[in-house]
Amino acid sequence: MIKSVNSISKKAGMAPGSLIHVGEPMQPESNIRLINYSEENIEEKQIQSFDEIVKYKESDSVTWVMIEGLPTIDMMTQIGKDFGIHPLVLEDILNTQHRPKFEAYDNYLHIVLKSLQSEDEQFNMTYEQITLLVLNNFVFTFKEKTDDLFQPIIDRIKTDRGHFRSLGSDYLAYAILDTVVDQYFILIDSLDKAVTSLEDTFLNSQSKEETPGTIRKIKKEIITVRKNISPVRELTVEMLHSESELILDKTHIYLKDVSDHATHIIDTIESYSDVLSDLLDIHATDVSYQMNDVMQILALYSTIFIPLTFISGIYGMNFENIPELTWGYPAIWAVFIAIPAGMIFYFKKKKWL
Amino acid sequence: MIKSVNSISKKAGMAPGSLIHVGEPMQPESNIRLINYSEENIEEKQIQSFDEIVKYKESDSVTWVMIEGLPTIDMMTQIGKDFGIHPLVLEDILNTQHRPKFEAYDNYLHIVLKSLQSEDEQFNMTYEQITLLVLNNFVFTFKEKTDDLFQPIIDRIKTDRGHFRSLGSDYLAYAILDTVVDQYFILIDSLDKAVTSLEDTFLNSQSKEETPGTIRKIKKEIITVRKNISPVRELTVEMLHSESELILDKTHIYLKDVSDHATHIIDTIESYSDVLSDLLDIHATDVSYQMNDVMQILALYSTIFIPLTFISGIYGMNFENIPELTWGYPAIWAVFIAIPAGMIFYFKKKKWL
Amino acid sequence: MIKSVNSISKKAGMAPGSLIHVGEPMQPESNIRLINYSEENIEEKQIQSFDEIVKYKESDSVTWVMIEGLPTIDMMTQIGKDFGIHPLVLEDILNTQHRPKFEAYDNYLHIVLKSLQSEDEQFNMTYEQITLLVLNNFVFTFKEKTDDLFQPIIDRIKTDRGHFRSLGSDYLAYAILDTVVDQYFILIDSLDKAVTSLEDTFLNSQSKEETPGTIRKIKKEIITVRKNISPVRELTVEMLHSESELILDKTHIYLKDVSDHATHIIDTIESYSDVLSDLLDIHATDVSYQMNDVMQILALYSTIFIPLTFISGIYGMNFENIPELTWGYPAIWAVFIAIPAGMIFYFKKKKWL
Amino acid sequence: MIKSVNSISKKAGMAPGSLIHVGEPMQPESNIRLINYSEENIEEKQIQSFDEIVKYKESDSVTWVMIEGLPTIDMMTQIGKDFGIHPLVLEDILNTQHRPKFEAYDNYLHIVLKSLQSEDEQFNMTYEQITLLVLNNFVFTFKEKTDDLFQPIIDRIKTDRGHFRSLGSDYLAYAILDTVVDQYFILIDSLDKAVTSLEDTFLNSQSKEETPGTIRKIKKEIITVRKNISPVRELTVEMLHSESELILDKTHIYLKDVSDHATHIIDTIESYSDVLSDLLDIHATDVSYQMNDVMQILALYSTIFIPLTFISGIYGMNFENIPELTWGYPAIWAVFIAIPAGMIFYFKKKKWL
Amino acid sequence: MIKSVNSISKKAGMAPGSLIHVGEPMQPESNIRLINYSEENIEEKQIQSFDEIVKYKESDSVTWVMIEGLPTIDMMTQIGKDFGIHPLVLEDILNTQHRPKFEAYDNYLHIVLKSLQSEDEQFNMTYEQITLLVLNNFVFTFKEKTDDLFQPIIDRIKTDRGHFRSLGSDYLAYAILDTVVDQYFILIDSLDKAVTSLEDTFLNSQSKEETPGTIRKIKKEIITVRKNISPVRELTVEMLHSESELILDKTHIYLKDVSDHATHIIDTIESYSDVLSDLLDIHATDVSYQMNDVMQILALYSTIFIPLTFISGIYGMNFENIPELTWGYPAIWAVFIAIPAGMIFYFKKKKWL
């Protein structure tokens, strides 16, 4: 995750706006779908050549161009030329290692998001970058790979004629934002399961040895997740305060809702982070207390035997005429029992045992 | 508490404004009461059908609709249609896992609060969500369950004709806010008792073993409590700075009072949190000092016996002609007494004992 | 101190502006003095009935009403009615557990302060709440008990005809603020003595055992003190930026002076807090280093005896024909001396001793 | 790095604007190159005398004067006089130990940057100060030494006639900023390699002894790097908000891009810093756990032998008539085996072993 | 340093603006010099009576009155009366324990600074308060003692006729500020030497015992230094944003330069503070690691001897017919050598040794 910045260094020295791919491509070839909808009509098709897209430019209805996988440099150049997108924005789209951000230009909005998916139980995450270009009646989305993330939106476009299809490209942009943020809730669901299971393991004292490693691993993932989600809240707030004419007043309440969700998610993630820090603290304290207990018990144990060993040493000396030696062997056993008993009694009284 | 976000993930992919229940319902069936009051009249009744509510819409007097328990989807849809409430607000009301917040719309205010109650001595809390919709002359309150939390307000409406009943729906909203915040004071009362009793236990050194667990538990509860109370301060401040015409100037001083109370409560909670952190620190230090003391005493004890055991070993050797062996057994006892005495004297001088 | 919020919980459910006493009364009966002054005249008297106060309302000269001890509910109601004070302000005055604050109303200012006094050498503090109501030509002060805190102000009113008596009620309010803040300097003086004496004790290594407890106690008091003084800085700043006509321009420089003093005091208190934290750290480090030293010396001591005991064990074995036994007893003593000497030399070289 | 401030102390007491060199010179003699370009023409030459520069002052095309190495006091004085640069700015240019900053004057901009280069694998960094003076159609750059850092920019000027050469001096300033910031990406590349290799070393437990030293060294370098890069973000933001007419509107998007890069770099550096702190923590914990483990095992080991040694002592005593002595030697071996076996079983059950 | 607030407590209860000395006087008698300069003339003389100063009031040239040592109450009163200085400002001047600050009044500026000097190698600092009153064409400076701090300024006034003497009292004020801030660079120079020498001592492991004490001492001094320098940055910023007509536009660039220097100094001081904290951390870690190492080696050493001592005990038992006793004494020595060799091999393999 932190390595995201590496390969960008190869651009050092190049002119700004140079269109080259940065980041490891997830899917080498791009797949382009187009949906054109208005309250009356809806049209969906697979795009082969860029010219097919351009002719929708004049249409009054909303056109959504979904580009999945790595777009070609040629296509980016054409989009730039035909839709008036700045070369630096095109450069950003080709760089899949970008921070989430929102930028308003005169005639379009540029939104960068990260879709997060947990691949397995170990929280090995994939971070897919999703870029939106929102023009008047035109939305481009760039995804790194083909999947069904946007399927629910397409379904709603098809079915929700009265509401969705009567609204403009800004509502479509909101719907995409909302879908990505809803994904985060699923992530948090599995995070919750992992943390709860850790807490249980912890309270039942099973396998404490392996716990700190797992906790640290999840904590590290949480930091990355937060780094990718936090800017989303900022960008929704920036969208709300943007004066762009592309965002209609009636869309504000929807953006505010997304912003609330993002806040909720970040709050929740921070709570989990705190819980994990606490678990690590408690673990360290417990290990140290337990270690102390063992050492103290062993020390007390040695302490009990020390005088006994000394006494046995005394009567192993070869002095002539040690009078006690004649008092009989059982007497020494009385001593060997009385001394530890006294010491144990004393330690118990002192609450050392 | 942190799990609050879980079940919301099932909404991922649904259209915004989809009305479904989120969160575990406390009380499956809803109970609706209506109070309509003006300076002259007061009317209170149980509502069976939604139509009974609608006809109060035209009335000049203030109408308060209390919905306790889970409202039906139908009812929400009707409220939305008849009172012009946005679908996203209705969606929020059905989600009982929301953060406290304040939103001003053109013709109504949307307020979400949490009522906190400590179920037992162990600070097992229940968090009940209370939502207010404040319209001109109309207030809807949504509570998760039926209880007598609002009873004092109803009593005051009935008795305080000159003041309460002469004021509008914004004063009623304030009265509800004030009642919820006053609940927090009761919580803090019991928190105080718990912390004071912990401090006493602590100073009297009884059962130190169990203290850290209890402290950590209360600290964790305090974090959740703060997370639910902090936004209340923010929302009162937002209400004060809101330009909504629904909040009259003369209500500002009351809102400021609630805001002061919330500030006071948060300050107090933070103090308790600090006190508990301090107790944990002191506990850790005390345990470590006590452990050190025990280990040091045992180490000194061993140290005293080490040379004695060595000496007894010397005279257990089978050398021929050890001259000391003939000096007589009592001489060795003089050594066995002189050495520890000298060492204890030395340790005492060094302040090790 | 933290308990301040407790008894307020008994108000939960009552109407706002309900006048009941909150907090433990210091002095059950109230004593009322009145000073009326102008550049020409000065009049001072003890007040028995509230009517005596009201008649000064029309006077052009400044009237100062000092209410010491618990005011009766009746009196508060009368002040509210005759001077137009809001019921919530009256409620705040009766609650002696309020945070310091400043509020500007249309025709009066409401200021809450805490006067701090250290009762003894142990920093057992008393916190007396002082409330000011500043009207045009009228100042009410509410103190919890009768003492001579305000005596210097009264003396200056009597003597400083040209300056003090020519200025209005805002200057009197400033003079009271200044007097209370000057009290804090006295507190800091004794705090300085306590901290300096702690530092001396510390450097001279006397009675280190008892130091941490004392440090923690003073630190805890400092937290409470800061919690009561910090809002005073804020309130002076708010007074400076207030647009109330009751605060004349020429009084601003005086308020700024008080604000500077409060800043200075808070800075100083924070310095002491830092010094105490440092002392606690140094103490913990010292205890741990000293403990380590003792343990290390004892460990080295044991280490020296271990091989000697082993050797004495060898020659206590009952093997037949141990040749060394015939080499003579003094030879073994040479070994018993050479081994420790060598080890001590080695440890010294390694800087372990 | 921290020493940067030292030699500036020799200026104490001098008049402001006194032109003397501060900081150790990297290259004693200065080398001056000049590039003059417009859309039509481009001219590049080596400058010997300052007069050659002055005559470009009237030209409409953009002139870039690159001064590499230590400029002479004379030259600075001449620049000040002929181009109207304030003496304090000239003083700043001669001081190569300045913080990065941006200042807008009436007719020119003053920008100070640091170019960072990692000399070797050990992150021994060189910090070269780069100062820009941006006038209308004139840019001065002051570098501490001659290298090819600006070569890509010169190449682009030569080739990119339509874009680069059609833009003014503010675009040239941006191109230089961009080049310096791109250098940071290279630095982060090598930082990434170092941190990743550290993490690997760490997980494979090789040479843990040397790790903390390396981590601390890199952490210290990171602090210095951040101290030099952080102000670059601030200065780009200040440039964006500057109202100077020298920065054209169409350059803003480029500056925003640099600002985004700087933000990205600082975020990444902070991530590495966190990773290193975590590694140090984990190392400390691991060392302490491992130490605890060893000590505990040794303690248990001693514990097992303690009773055995005591028993052997018993039967070394010279008492008359010890009955066990006649039970035969193998019996005692049964005891010597049974006791440790029992203890090991007990320790295993207690999970101490 | 922290005690600065003590003696001010004796003012509690006095009227504001009461002129009494606060703080320990450095130099009981005051020495007054006056310099009057314009572009044409310069006059410097020793002042005996205040009347000599007053007559310069009408002059168009700039007059600088340097008061060194404790000014008399009479003089302060006269300055107040003749130059219209507010009593609270006069009171501040007499209090040499003030925080650095800037205040703009209608017809004068009030600036309080601290000049810092390190008395010896041990960083025993003297803090001299310097107060400036800047009027139109008149500057008063109050220093606590007579020294040559301002000599470079006087020299520049005498020599720099064209620049310095052509500028007004605000440039003189700047020159004084600049001189005081330049002093801080000298301080940082010696701080750098001390820290570098500490780091060297540290890396060469000499006298680690004494290092923590020295580090803590320097850290404590740094805190005090920062407390006195930080407000200087704030005051220069306040001067820059002040709307006082006494600060001319052309002086702004000079003030900005001083502000930059102050920022640089505070940054550098914070770096040193961080370096020292790191050294303390490293020291604590090193001590703990070294202690652990010693304890571990000793524990291993004991562990080796434990079984040997036990074996020697076995063959010291008085059992009849111990068969091994007849196998010959050299056999036991084989065991005594084989066991430690095996253990050392095992410990080495486990990397415990």
Side-chain angles (χ1 to χ4, degrees), chain E residues 2-112:
Chain E
I2 306 182
K3 296 189 200 171
S4 69
V5 100
N6 291 358
S7 43
I8 208 175
S9 69
K10 72 180 170 194
K11 292 193 68 173
M14 294 186 66
S18 308
L19 296 184
I20 64 158
H21 293 292
V22 172
E24 208 144 328
M26 287 189 180
Q27 180 184 313
E29 278 171 34
S30 66
N31 170 33
I32 307 178
R33 288 159 79 193
L34 178 148
I35 296 177
N36 176 286
Y37 63 88
S38 64
E39 223 167 324
E40 291 77 29
N41 302 307
I42 176 158
E43 184 189 354
E44 182 181 1
K45 64 176 174 183
Q46 206 66 19
I47 294 295
Q48 304 305 334
S49 100
F50 188 75
D51 297 336
E52 292 176 77
I53 297 172
V54 179
K55 68 185 175 205
Y56 286 93
K57 217 175 136 185
E58 305 307 315
S59 136
D60 270 356
S61 49
V62 179
T63 308
W64 178 14
V65 181
M66 271 169 279
I67 299 158
E68 293 171 323
L70 205 66
T72 62
I73 305 293
D74 276 2
M75 197 202 303
M76 295 312 294
T77 316
Q78 261 184 303
I79 292 173
K81 208 169 59 196
D82 286 338
F83 292 88
I85 309 298
H86 196 281
L88 284 174
V89 173
L90 302 175
E91 191 187 340
D92 280 354
I93 293 170
L94 288 174
N95 174 359
T96 57
Q97 298 171 342
H98 223 283
R99 287 185 80 223
K101 73 170 172 180
F102 166 77
E103 285 176 331
Y105 293 90
D106 280 353
N107 56 334
Y108 59 96
L109 310 173
H110 175 213
I111 303 169
V112 184

Side-chain angles (χ1 to χ4, degrees), chain A residues 216-320:
Chain A
R216 278 196 210 116
K217 189 168 178 329
I218 298 185
K219 263 196 89 174
K220 202 172 164 186
E221 282 308 327
I222 282 180
I223 288 166
T224 324
V225 167
R226 185 163 44 190
K227 215 174 109 187
N228 280 284
I229 295 182
S230 284
V232 172
R233 176 166 53 176
E234 287 159 37
L235 79 85
T236 53
V237 171
E238 278 173 49
M239 282 178 83
L240 278 166
H241 296 128
S242 150
E243 286 162 12
S244 169
E245 288 173 6
L246 288 164
I247 303 172
L248 302 179
D249 277 359
K250 63 183 169 186
T251 311
H252 274 145
I253 180 170
Y254 294 102
L255 289 174
K256 193 154 182 343
D257 196 55
V258 174
S259 179
D260 275 5
H261 288 176
T263 305
H264 194 164
I265 288 166
I266 293 165
D267 275 17
T268 311
I269 287 177
E270 273 163 19
S271 299
Y272 286 122
S273 181
D274 290 352
V275 167
L276 293 176
S277 297
D278 277 5
L279 284 183
L280 274 181
D281 276 4
I282 295 175
H283 182 263
T285 316
D286 280 1
V287 165
S288 141
Y289 280 13
Q290 187 188 317
M291 161 82 188
N292 281 359
D293 277 1
V294 173
M295 294 303 276
Q296 193 165 336
I297 288 171
L298 295 182
L300 291 168
Y301 178 91
S302 310
T303 304
I304 289 170
F305 276 99
I306 283 171
L308 303 186
T309 306
F310 169 55
I311 291 167
S312 76
I314 293 173
Y315 299 108
M317 291 193 296
N318 297 320
F319 276 93
E320 294 158 11

Side-chain angles (χ1 to χ4, degrees), chain A residues 7-286:
Chain A
S7 43
I8 209 176
S9 69
K10 72 179 169 194
K11 292 194 68 173
M14 295 185 67
S18 307
L19 296 185
I20 65 157
H21 293 291
V22 172
E24 207 145 327
M26 287 189 179
Q27 178 183 315
E29 278 171 33
S30 65
N31 171 34
I32 309 179
R33 288 159 81 192
L34 177 147
I35 297 177
N36 176 282
Y37 63 87
S38 65
E39 223 167 323
E40 292 76 28
N41 302 305
I42 176 157
E43 185 190 351
E44 182 179 3
K45 63 176 174 183
Q46 205 68 18
I47 295 292
Q48 304 305 333
S49 100
F50 188 75
D51 297 335
E52 293 176 76
I53 298 171
V54 179
K55 67 184 176 207
Y56 285 94
K57 218 174 133 182
E58 306 307 315
S59 137
D60 271 356
S61 47
V62 179
T63 307
W64 177 15
V65 183
M66 272 169 278
I67 298 158
E68 294 170 323
L70 206 65
T72 62
I73 306 293
D74 276 2
M75 196 201 305
M76 296 311 296
T77 317
Q78 261 184 302
I79 292 174
K81 208 169 59 195
D82 287 336
F83 292 88
I85 310 298
H86 197 283
L88 285 174
V89 173
L90 301 175
E91 192 187 338
D92 280 355
I93 292 170
L94 287 173
N95 174 358
T96 57
Q97 299 172 340
H98 224 284
R99 288 184 79 223
K101 72 169 171 180
F102 166 77
E103 286 175 331
Y105 293 91
D106 280 353
N107 56 336
Y108 60 94
L109 311 173
H110 175 211
I111 303 169
V112 184
L113 288 170
K114 298 282 179 184
S115 162
L116 274 62
Q117 262 168 308
S118 172
E119 297 255 298
D120 52 22
E121 299 273 298
Q122 306 302 119
F123 282 93
N124 290 313
M125 312 287 288
T126 38
Y127 297 89
E128 186 190 359
Q129 179 163 312
I130 294 170
T131 306
L132 278 78
L133 292 181
V134 185
L135 296 85
N136 188 17
N137 283 338
F138 234 96
V139 174
F140 286 91
T141 55
F142 299 85
K143 285 178 86 274
E144 290 190 67
K145 63 177 183 204
T146 308
D147 59 19
D148 56 359
L149 179 64
F150 290 163
Q151 197 53 47
I153 304 175
I154 298 169
D155 293 347
R156 268 162 54 209
I157 292 175
K158 288 182 186 154
T159 55
D160 188 7
R161 181 177 147 185
H163 185 63
F164 201 128
R165 267 151 63 185
S166 70
L167 295 165
S169 56
D170 58 336
Y171 187 83
L172 175 56
Y174 149 73
I176 294 166
L177 267 174
D178 192 47
T179 302
V180 172
V181 170
D182 277 356
Q183 282 276 324
Y184 302 159
F185 281 111
I186 296 172
L187 180 77
I188 281 177
D189 246 7
S190 50
L191 188 61
D192 178 72
K193 271 184 213 122
V195 172
T196 310
S197 120
L198 266 175
E199 276 188 303
D200 288 352
T201 313
F202 216 79
L203 294 174
N204 303 327
S205 308
Q206 308 151 331
S207 63
K208 283 208 177 175
E209 298 272 312
E210 288 147 33
T211 317
T214 317
I215 294 176
R216 278 196 210 116
K217 189 168 178 329
I218 298 185
K219 263 196 89 174
K220 202 172 164 186
E221 282 308 327
I222 282 180
I223 288 166
T224 324
V225 167
R226 185 163 44 190
K227 215 174 109 187
N228 280 284
I229 295 182
S230 284
V232 172
R233 176 166 53 176
E234 287 159 37
L235 79 85
T236 53
V237 171
E238 278 173 49
M239 282 178 83
L240 278 166
H241 296 128
S242 150
E243 286 162 12
S244 169
E245 288 173 6
L246 288 164
I247 303 172
L248 302 179
D249 277 359
K250 63 183 169 186
T251 311
H252 274 145
I253 180 170
Y254 294 102
L255 289 174
K256 193 154 182 343
D257 196 55
V258 174
S259 179
D260 275 5
H261 288 176
T263 305
H264 194 164
I265 288 166
I266 293 165
D267 275 17
T268 311
I269 287 177
E270 273 163 19
S271 299
Y272 286 122
S273 181
D274 290 352
V275 167
L276 293 176
S277 297
D278 277 5
L279 284 183
L280 274 181
D281 276 4
I282 295 175
H283 182 263
T285 316
D286 280 1

Side-chain angles (χ1 to χ4, degrees), chain D residues 3-221:
Chain D
K3 295 187 200 172
S4 69
V5 101
N6 291 358
S7 44
I8 209 176
S9 70
K10 72 180 170 193
K11 292 194 68 172
M14 295 186 65
S18 307
L19 295 184
I20 64 158
H21 293 292
V22 172
E24 207 145 329
M26 287 189 179
Q27 180 184 314
E29 278 171 32
S30 64
N31 170 33
I32 308 178
R33 289 159 80 194
L34 177 148
I35 296 178
N36 177 284
Y37 63 87
S38 65
E39 223 167 324
E40 292 76 28
N41 302 305
I42 176 158
E43 184 190 354
E44 182 180 3
K45 63 175 175 183
Q46 207 67 20
I47 294 294
Q48 303 306 334
S49 99
F50 188 76
D51 296 336
E52 293 175 76
I53 297 170
V54 178
K55 67 184 175 206
Y56 286 93
K57 216 174 137 183
E58 306 307 316
S59 137
D60 271 355
S61 48
V62 178
T63 307
W64 177 14
V65 182
M66 272 169 279
I67 298 157
E68 294 171 322
L70 206 65
T72 62
I73 305 293
D74 276 2
M75 196 201 304
M76 296 312 295
T77 317
Q78 261 183 300
I79 292 174
K81 207 169 60 194
D82 286 337
F83 292 88
I85 310 298
H86 196 282
L88 285 174
V89 173
L90 301 175
E91 192 186 340
D92 279 355
I93 293 170
L94 289 173
N95 174 359
T96 57
Q97 299 171 341
H98 223 282
R99 287 184 81 224
K101 72 169 172 181
F102 166 77
E103 286 176 331
Y105 293 90
D106 280 353
N107 56 335
Y108 60 95
L109 311 172
H110 175 212
I111 303 169
V112 184
L113 287 170
K114 297 283 177 182
S115 162
L116 273 62
Q117 263 168 308
S118 171
E119 298 254 298
D120 51 22
E121 299 274 298
Q122 307 300 122
F123 282 94
N124 290 313
M125 312 288 287
T126 38
Y127 297 88
E128 186 189 0
Q129 179 162 312
I130 294 171
T131 306
L132 278 79
L133 292 180
V134 184
L135 297 84
N136 187 19
N137 283 336
F138 235 97
V139 172
F140 285 92
T141 55
F142 297 85
K143 286 178 86 276
E144 290 191 67
K145 62 178 184 205
T146 308
D147 59 20
D148 55 359
L149 178 64
F150 290 163
Q151 197 53 47
I153 304 175
I154 298 169
D155 293 347
R156 267 162 53 209
I157 293 176
K158 287 182 186 155
T159 55
D160 188 8
R161 182 178 147 185
H163 185 64
F164 201 128
R165 267 151 63 185
S166 70
L167 295 164
S169 56
D170 58 337
Y171 187 82
L172 175 56
Y174 149 72
I176 294 166
L177 266 174
D178 192 46
T179 302
V180 171
V181 169
D182 277 356
Q183 282 276 326
Y184 302 159
F185 280 110
I186 295 173
L187 179 77
I188 280 177
D189 247 7
S190 50
L191 187 61
D192 178 72
K193 271 186 212 120
V195 172
T196 309
S197 120
L198 265 175
E199 276 188 303
D200 288 352
T201 312
F202 216 79
L203 294 174
N204 303 328
S205 308
Q206 307 151 333
S207 64
K208 282 209 178 174
E209 298 272 311
E210 287 147 32
T211 316
T214 318
I215 294 176
R216 277 197 210 117
K217 191 169 175 325
I218 298 186
K219 263 196 88 174
K220 202 172 164 187
E221 281 308 329

Side-chain angles (χ1 to χ4, degrees), chain E residues 264-327:
Chain E
H264 194 163
I265 288 166
I266 293 165
D267 274 15
T268 310
I269 286 177
E270 271 163 20
S271 300
Y272 285 122
S273 181
D274 289 352
V275 168
L276 292 176
S277 296
D278 276 4
L279 284 183
L280 274 182
D281 276 2
I282 295 175
H283 183 264
T285 315
D286 280 1
V287 164
S288 142
Y289 279 14
Q290 187 188 317
M291 161 81 188
N292 281 357
D293 278 0
V294 173
M295 293 304 276
Q296 193 165 338
I297 288 171
L298 295 182
L300 291 168
Y301 178 91
S302 310
T303 303
I304 289 170
F305 276 100
I306 283 171
L308 304 185
T309 306
F310 169 55
I311 290 167
S312 76
I314 292 173
Y315 300 108
M317 292 193 295
N318 297 321
F319 276 91
E320 294 160 11
N321 304 321
I322 300 183
E324 297 94 325
L325 290 181
T326 59
W327 297 355

